Each structure stands twice: as C-alpha cells, then as structure tokens.
C-alpha cells in the first residue's frame, strides 16, 4: 500500500481522538459520525447497562488477532425463540454498515414498547445483531488502510494477508466467484470456515438452531439480494423471496426516495461463491438476504458521515418488512 | 447490421412508445457516421454475425452507460459540468461470435455538482462497443445540453482561479478524508481529479471490469509557463467485480475551454480475474510506485 498514507492517517486519528470525548450514555452518543472499534464496544456496554431486561452481549469467539467478537442479543423472554440475525461489517471498509448497526441497536431499544408492529416482532422473536463482524479488519481500516476489506489472517507461503470473509462460507466454496490467490481481495481462504470470524458465526447459527432470517449487510451499490451467488439455479423459494425483496425495497424507498434494485446475487451483481447467505439458505434459513447500502459509486466506501442516519433509517424500514414477514410466515 | 431496415423492437423495459424514436434516431445517426468511417468498429453485415443479445446481464447496461459518461466527461473537459448516471431508459444489445458486445442506450444524467435545489436531468444516447475482454471500449455518445455554454465556461474559469490560488504542495492527506468529507476549499481538486480519472476509468473499462473513484492522495501542482493547471495526484480506483483497489498516478494539464491532457500509470497488483474463474498466475509483488 502507499507508504505515505500510513503516517498521515495516524495523524488524522490523533486529531479524531482529541476532538471526541467518550459518550457516557447512548443518549449522548454521536450516531452521525464514524467510530473506532473501542467506541463501538463501549457503546455496546452502555446499551446493555441501560437496557438490562432487553439487551445482552454475547461473545461468540475471538478474532485472528485476539479481539473479542460480540453479538448483541435482544430478547423479551422465552426460551430459544425463533430469531432474526443481522450482521454488519464483515467487510471492514464498508463503514456505513457498522455505523448503521450501531443505530439499529439503539433503535431497537427505543421502539420496543413504543411501536406496535415492532413490539409484536420482539414479543415473539429474538434479534441477534453482530455489529463488527470483522474486528481485525475494522481496526486496520482505522490504523493503517481505510480501504481494507478482508480479515487479517496470515497465509503460510504468502506475504499477503487476509481472507475475504464473504467468500469463506461453505456454499460453493472455491468455485468460480472467488479467488485462489492470497493477494486478491476476494481470496476465499485455504478451506471453508478457515476464518475464525466466519466459523464463530457458523457455530453460533448451528448451536442456536432456530434462526429464521439471516440478513448480511454490506456496501455499496444499493441492492437487496437473495441466493444464490455461486450458481445460476434459482432457490426453491425464489418467488417468495423476490416478493419480500420487492416490498422491502419499496419500504426503504418510501423514506427518502433512495432507489434500490433487487434480485438474486448472481443475476443482479455478479457471481460470488462461498457467501454467507448461500450457506444459511442451504441450511434451511429461508429468509436469507444481503443488503448493499448507499451509495452507487459517487462516494462509495467513503460515504459522508452526514448520510449515516438517513441510510440507517431507510434500511431499518426494509429490515422491518423482512422481520414482519418472517414473524407472519413461520416455518 | 442494417439498422435502417429493421423495425425497431419493443423495448424490454416496457417504456412508453414516445421514447423509442430517440433510439431510432441514434441508430440512424450512427449508421450515417459509420458510413463516414467512424472507428466504432462494427464492419459490415458479413463480419462476425451480430445477433441480438437477450442474455445481457442487467449490470452491463449501467456499466455501459457509466463508461459512456466517463468518455463524455473527459471529452467535454469541463470539471464544473461533470455528469453522472441517473437511469438507463432504453437499451438494445448485440453480441457476435467473438463475444464482442454492442450496446445502444438512452439514459438520463444528473449533474455531479447539482445547483442549489436544481436536480434537472439531462439526456444522453450512446453506443458502446466492448471488444470481448479488452479495455478501452469504443464509445459514441451524444448528450443534450444541460448547462448553458456561457455559464459552464464561467464556472470552469472560477474553478481554474481557485486552483491557481491553492498553496503548493497542497497541505492535505487525502480527499475525501476517511469519513467521506471534502473541505469546500479542496472541492476544485476533487472535481478536476474526477475529470482526469474519467479518462483513466474509460480506458480501463472492459465488459467485466468497471471502476469508481475511491480516494485521492499526494496532490501536487506545478507552475507552468502558459498559465495552464498542471497537476498530479494518486487516485485509488475501486475495481468491480474483483473488489481490488488500484492506485493510479495521474498527471493532467488543463486550461478552461481547452482539451484535457492526461498521462497516467496504474499499479497493476495482479491480473484481474474474470467471471469464468480462470486460475490466476502467481501473485506479483507490488512494484515501486513511480514518482512524478
């Protein structure tokens, strides 16, 4: 990578710390700015402390470099209720996603008991939210390379670092739509689930056994996608998934007019193998969707912070649509 | 291909009929141009057998429109009148035995820098010719005027003056910063860089690869004898569908109203991978970045 940028980024980070003081509650937390890993982890603890009846923090594993991997659980009781899974930040440079995840977490605590439709959802289902799915990558985007995408695992026999965590799942693993070169941004890794960041989620999903919707959030392109990415064959539930996507996109657009396209991964964006929602769908989690948030290339990964809240707000409407459909269509 | 003889097929998008004549007009103009020997390269009907492409991936239409706009923006040479894609309205595509693709498009555009409260849409028609996997697609593009010529010249001249007033070296890390923010005083740099990058992105685009500008760094401006803007920078291009970040050093010379001159060198970290999933060669160690 370009050497100069490193030292210059360090400088910028110092300035960022100097101008920000630590939030003491989720009420004073700044949702319209991008945060560091430490700040997001602090936020999670604050949210749990303020909403102990509703929110708990689970550690599902440790990253390659030893950082804890956390999932927030939102539950109003029951025992192993059918659940919605949402993950953000699997690709670390997609900062709008982790920022949106933080906003979703707060939104859940605000709307439960206030919004009838959402209260019905959370009275019957649990929500699991993994805000920083790739903590090593995320830390790296702050310290060294803002455009880092992959994990930070080392590959023996190569000087290149990292695996594309969304090519590492056991669905069409290693097939067309991923790279076998460790230096590539879409390197699939030496085997499926080789990345602890992926394995942790896989184990969680398997152990839980009752996840009914799996929503992976990425940026950018403004798309809502369903399986498959690794093959052209349509999923058995294609018609229903297409309908749900159509409604979710309409709900999203209704807020600020942001236009999304929708369809299967392979026909809408490109062939991609080893992706998360292809695996979860094959495991029987019918409502498996991937989002690509704002924008369509004007700012790309460097989406201005002023767009965080509008993006999170409109995306939330799409998530609600999917969650409601999941609630009303048990399987 | 005999565009004048064939009846115009119904647009697959079910657009209202009034829009269809635009495509017919484009085909007519292009046929006449081709007759005059424009280098769009399709040859006569006996060459490679063009047939209509019904399996065209959806994304290719937007990509074709975008690359047509890169070419248009570069040729227009006006950093204050840059356009971006709004929506593809009509399209028709052909493919031949050599897997080359021709795409005819009608699309709307927005201004990259919209005026206050003015979100007028422009209209363009284009033919884009992709030579299989090769970059530098041939582009024929016409756009209806969106900004009055006089106004455009004046805004370019304002931008030029602001560039001239900037200190050298420009005291900035990257544009935008990591939070997506561009300081208003640095906006002219970004716009001019986008103009220069348009040339690069057009040249690098293939059927399988397209680009967006992610971030700028290492901006340098030189004095010139003739008052032109002489300006170098490193741009990070985001490459679809490989997801790679490609650093390119770009050197451009610009004076309002004159054609833009661009030289560039992109660091090829490794060979791009195509959708067919061919095995890559061994990873190439990154070469030393050349300095201007």
């Amino acid at each position: 990578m370009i050497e100069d940028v490193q030292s210059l980024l360090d400088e910028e980070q110092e300035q960022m710390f100097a101008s920000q003081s630590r939030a003491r509650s989720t009420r004073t937390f700044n949702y319209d700015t991008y945060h560091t890993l430490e700040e997001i982890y602090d936020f999670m603890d604050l949210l749990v402390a303020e909403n102990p009846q509703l929110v708990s923090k689970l550690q599902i594993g440790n990253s390659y470099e030893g950082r804890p991997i956390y999932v927030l659980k939102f539950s109003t009781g029951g025992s192993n209720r059918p659940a919605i899974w949402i993950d953000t930040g699997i690709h670390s440079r997609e900062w709008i996603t982790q920022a949106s995840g933080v906003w979703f977490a707060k939104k859940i605590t605000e709307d439960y008991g206030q919004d009838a439709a959402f209260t019905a959802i959370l009275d019957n289902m649990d929500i699991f939210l993994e805000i920083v799915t790739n903590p090593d990558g995320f830390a790296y985007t702050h310290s060294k390379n803002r455009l880092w995408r992959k994990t930070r695992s080392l590959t023996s026999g190569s000087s290149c670092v990292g695996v594309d965590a969304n090519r590492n799942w056991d669905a069409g693993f290693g097939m067309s739509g991923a790279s076998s070169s460790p230096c590539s941004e879409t390197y699939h890794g030496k085997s499926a689930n080789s990345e602890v960041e992926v394995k942790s989620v896989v184990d969680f999903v398997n152990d839980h056994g009752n996840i009914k919707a799996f929503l992976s959030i990425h940026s950018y392109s403004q798309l809502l996608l369903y399986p498959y990415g690794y093959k052209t064959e349509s999923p058995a539930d294609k018609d229903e998934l297409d309908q749900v996507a159509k409604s979710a996109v309409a709900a999203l657009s209704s807020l600020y007019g942001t236009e999304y396209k929708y369809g299967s991964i392979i026909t809408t964006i490109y062939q991609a193998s080893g992706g998360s929602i292809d695996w979860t769908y094959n495991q029987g989690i019918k409502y498996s969707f991937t989002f690509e948030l704002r924008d369509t290339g004007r700012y790309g990964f460097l989406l201005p912070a002023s767009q965080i809240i509008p993006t999170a707000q409109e995306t939330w409407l799409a998530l609600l649509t999917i969650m409601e459909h999941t609630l009303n269509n048990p399987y | 291909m005999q565009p004048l003889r064939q009846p115009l097929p119904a647009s697959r998008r079910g657009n209202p009929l009034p829009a269809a004549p635009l495509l017919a007009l484009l085909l007519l103009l292009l046929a006449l141009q081709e007759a005059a020997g424009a280098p769009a390269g399709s040859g006569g009907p006996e060459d490679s057998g063009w047939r209509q492409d019904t399996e065209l991936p959806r994304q290719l239409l937007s990509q074709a429109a975008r690359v047509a706009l890169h070419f248009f923006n570069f040729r227009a040479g006006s950093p204050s009148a840059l356009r971006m894609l709004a929506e593809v309205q009509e399209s028709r595509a052909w493919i031949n035995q050599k897997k080359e693709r021709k795409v005819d498009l009608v699309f709307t555009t927005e201004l990259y820098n919209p005026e206050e409260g003015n979100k007028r849409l422009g209209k363009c028609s284009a033919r884009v010719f992709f030579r299989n996997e090769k970059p530098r697609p041939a582009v024929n593009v016409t756009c209806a005027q969106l900004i009055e010529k006089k106004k455009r010249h004046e805004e370019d001249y304002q931008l030029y003056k602001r560039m001239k007033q900037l200190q050298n070296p420009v005291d900035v890390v990257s544009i935008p910063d990591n939070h997506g923010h561009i300081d208003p005083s640095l906006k002219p740099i970004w716009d001019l860089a986008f103009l220069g990058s348009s040339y690069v992105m057009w040249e690098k685009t293939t059927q399988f690869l397209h680009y967006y500008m992610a971030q700028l760094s290492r901006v340098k401006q030189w004095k010139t004898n003739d008052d032109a803007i002489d300006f170098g920078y490193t741009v990070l291009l985001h490459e679809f569908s490989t997801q790679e970040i490609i650093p390119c050093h770009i050197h451009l010379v610009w004076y309002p109203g004159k054609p833009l001159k661009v030289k560039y060198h992109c660091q090829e970290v490794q060979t791009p991978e195509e959708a067919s999933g061919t095995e890559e060669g061994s990873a190439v160690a990154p070469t030393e970045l050349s300095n201007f």
Side-chain angles (χ1 to χ4, degrees):
Chain A
M1 213 44 238
I2 300 170
E3 282 310 305
D4 299 0
V5 180
Q6 175 188 331
S7 54
L8 296 163
L9 280 172
D10 289 345
E11 226 179 77
E12 205 180 344
Q13 187 183 35
E14 276 175 33
Q15 286 172 2
M16 203 166 74
F17 275 128
S19 65
Q20 278 174 349
S21 51
R22 217 158 136 187
R24 301 217 197 94
S25 81
T26 64
R27 211 175 21 89
T28 59
F29 187 87
N30 245 331
Y31 296 94
D32 60 0
T33 183
Y34 293 108
H35 290 278
T36 63
L37 186 64
E38 292 73 28
E39 286 164 358
I40 295 178
Y41 279 14
D42 284 347
F43 163 82
M44 289 183 199
D45 290 337
L46 288 172
L47 195 72
V48 169
E50 292 165 17
N51 302 275
Q53 301 309 312
L54 187 60
V55 194
S56 54
K57 184 176 85 172
L58 312 172
Q59 183 170 351
I60 64 168
N62 284 300
S63 70
Y64 185 85
E65 291 176 343
R67 294 182 173 85
I69 304 174
Y70 294 127
V71 170
L72 291 178
K73 176 182 180 182
F74 300 86
S75 177
T76 60
S79 166
N80 201 235
R81 281 180 174 166
I84 312 275
W85 166 279
I86 303 170
D87 63 79
T88 55
I90 196 170
H91 289 142
S92 37
R93 62 191 179 197
E94 298 166 7
W95 278 17
I96 185 59
T97 70
Q98 299 96 335
S100 295
V102 167
W103 189 92
F104 299 150
K106 177 62 174 167
K107 180 71 168 166
I108 291 170
T109 64
E110 282 178 340
D111 274 14
Y112 179 72
Q114 302 299 321
D115 178 88
F118 182 66
T119 302
I121 291 168
L122 210 47
D123 275 344
N124 292 284
M125 306 183 76
D126 292 341
I127 298 175
F128 293 99
L129 176 60
E130 185 179 18
I131 299 176
V132 190
T133 305
N134 176 6
D136 294 349
F138 189 58
Y140 199 72
T141 59
H142 279 274
S143 63
K144 293 281 193 298
N145 181 350
R146 171 64 178 83
L147 295 174
W148 188 261
R149 166 185 171 91
K150 302 188 285 182
T151 62
R152 291 294 301 166
S153 61
L154 299 176
T155 299
S156 65
S158 173
S159 58
C160 288
V161 177
V163 167
D164 184 338
N166 206 31
R167 300 289 186 279
N168 188 244
W169 299 69
D170 197 4
F173 177 82
M175 289 170 52
S176 275
S179 172
S180 54
S181 163
C183 298
S184 166
E185 294 279 23
T186 56
Y187 175 50
H188 49 58
K190 61 174 106 58
S191 56
N193 303 325
S194 62
E195 301 311 282
V196 63
E197 293 81 1
V198 170
K199 184 76 162 56
S200 304
V201 179
V202 167
D203 289 346
F204 179 85
V205 169
N206 284 333
D207 292 346
H208 187 278
N210 207 19
I211 295 188
K212 296 300 179 187
F214 190 96
L215 311 172
S216 271
I217 311 215
H218 292 253
S219 77
Y220 56 92
S221 285
Q222 292 176 201
L223 303 170
L224 178 48
L225 307 166
Y226 50 79
Y228 288 104
Y230 72 96
K231 57 181 177 177
T232 53
E233 173 196 322
S234 289
D237 303 291
K238 189 228 189 232
D239 290 344
E240 186 186 355
L241 295 179
D242 198 76
Q243 268 301 116
V244 173
K246 184 176 180 181
S247 307
V249 158
L252 187 153
S253 280
S254 71
L255 198 55
Y256 297 112
T258 305
E259 285 181 17
Y260 268 57
K261 296 195 165 58
Y262 61 94
S264 71
I265 296 169
I266 197 168
T267 61
T268 312
I269 191 169
Y270 44 61
Q271 184 172 29
S273 62
S276 62
I277 67 165
D278 287 356
W279 179 78
T280 56
Y281 184 77
N282 284 345
Q283 296 305 109
I285 300 176
K286 181 163 47 154
Y287 302 117
S288 290
F289 292 95
T290 290
F291 282 76
E292 293 278 357
L293 302 185
R294 295 193 193 180
D295 59 11
T296 55
R298 188 206 176 102
Y299 290 105
F301 301 123
L302 272 56
L303 195 70
S306 55
Q307 292 196 42
I308 295 173
I309 293 180
T311 303
Q313 286 173 329
E314 67 191 12
T315 308
W316 181 247
L317 297 181
L319 294 177
L320 277 178
T321 306
I322 299 172
M323 291 194 283
E324 244 175 71
H325 185 91
T326 308
L327 175 68
N328 296 328
N329 294 273
Y331 62 93
Chain B
M1 194 201 141
Q2 293 117 358
L4 297 180
R5 303 271 160 73
Q6 283 174 350
L8 197 66
S11 164
R12 260 172 288 135
R13 288 162 181 266
N15 277 329
L17 210 47
L22 277 172
L23 200 48
L25 182 63
L26 166 69
L27 294 174
L28 174 63
L29 286 171
L30 287 171
L32 291 173
Q33 259 191 306
E34 281 169 1
S42 58
E46 68 278 4
D47 176 23
S48 311
W50 290 103
R51 65 170 200 283
Q52 231 182 311
D53 186 1
T54 48
E55 286 171 358
L56 188 72
R58 223 186 289 183
Q59 282 291 77
L60 195 57
L61 295 174
S62 313
Q63 289 170 36
R66 288 205 175 93
V67 76
L69 274 180
H70 287 325
F71 184 77
F72 176 85
N73 283 329
F74 163 66
R75 289 292 278 261
S78 174
S80 60
L82 296 163
R83 299 189 192 221
M84 23 183 272
L85 176 65
E87 206 194 341
V88 175
Q89 294 185 321
E90 270 183 73
S91 61
R92 207 172 146 200
W94 296 266
I95 190 169
N96 67 12
Q97 282 153 11
K98 291 193 271 180
K99 297 251 180 87
E100 296 170 329
R101 272 201 168 100
K102 248 188 322 205
V103 187
D104 282 348
L105 300 150
V106 175
F107 55 93
T108 51
T109 64
E110 281 172 20
L111 280 175
Y112 193 72
N113 292 309
E115 300 150 344
E116 287 299 316
N118 188 358
K119 299 208 80 184
R120 247 181 322 152
L121 292 179
K123 198 145 196 169
C124 301
S125 49
R127 165 168 290 178
V128 180
F129 178 57
F130 293 105
R131 297 172 302 148
N132 203 355
E133 297 152 30
K134 297 201 187 107
R136 212 170 191 264
V139 175
N140 256 312
V141 57
T142 326
C143 294
Q145 183 178 277
L146 193 52
I147 304 179
E148 218 204 317
K149 212 170 193 179
K150 188 165 157 232
K151 183 163 187 215
R152 186 160 54 85
H153 285 160
E154 203 181 287
E155 289 187 4
D156 280 347
Y157 189 66
Q158 291 305 319
L159 194 147
Y160 165 82
K161 282 205 300 192
R162 282 153 69 199
M163 283 293 295
K164 278 292 182 190
Q165 278 158 15
L166 287 169
Q167 281 182 326
N168 190 35
V170 176
D171 189 22
V172 71
V173 178
S174 49
I175 307 172
D177 66 17
N178 285 348
H179 294 223
H181 175 68
I182 302 177
D183 194 273
S185 66
L186 302 175
K187 194 66 170 42
I189 299 179
W190 176 262
D191 289 341
L192 202 49
F194 186 79
L195 182 61
S197 304
S198 297
Y199 176 75
V200 179
M201 292 190 284
W202 162 59
E203 282 221 326
K204 289 178 69 60
T205 297
T206 71
Q207 259 188 84
F208 308 105
L209 297 172
H210 64 283
Y211 299 87
Y212 298 94
M213 230 172 104
Q215 200 173 33
L216 291 191
S217 60
R218 300 211 307 191
V219 177
K220 269 178 108 154
Q221 206 180 164
W222 291 271
K223 285 221 178 310
T224 61
N225 296 330
D226 62 354
D227 271 349
I229 303 280
D230 189 332
F231 154 54
Y233 58 98
T234 301
V235 67
L236 299 175
L237 296 182
H238 176 212
E239 181 179 85
F240 269 78
S241 58
T242 60
Q243 296 296 337
E244 298 296 330
I245 302 295
I246 314 282
C248 296
H249 301 299
I250 300 184
H251 187 173
L252 65 88
V253 176
W254 177 68
Y255 192 83
K258 296 231 172 97
L260 184 71
K261 293 184 223 168
V262 182
K263 281 204 299 206
Y264 71 94
H265 171 72
C266 293
Q267 179 187 343
E268 303 296 342
V269 180
Q270 58 198 44
T271 52
E273 179 158 49
E274 296 148 20
S276 58
T278 50
E279 197 75 353
E280 288 189 343
S282 54
V284 177
T287 52
E288 278 303 310
L289 298 180
S290 55
N291 279 316
F292 280 99

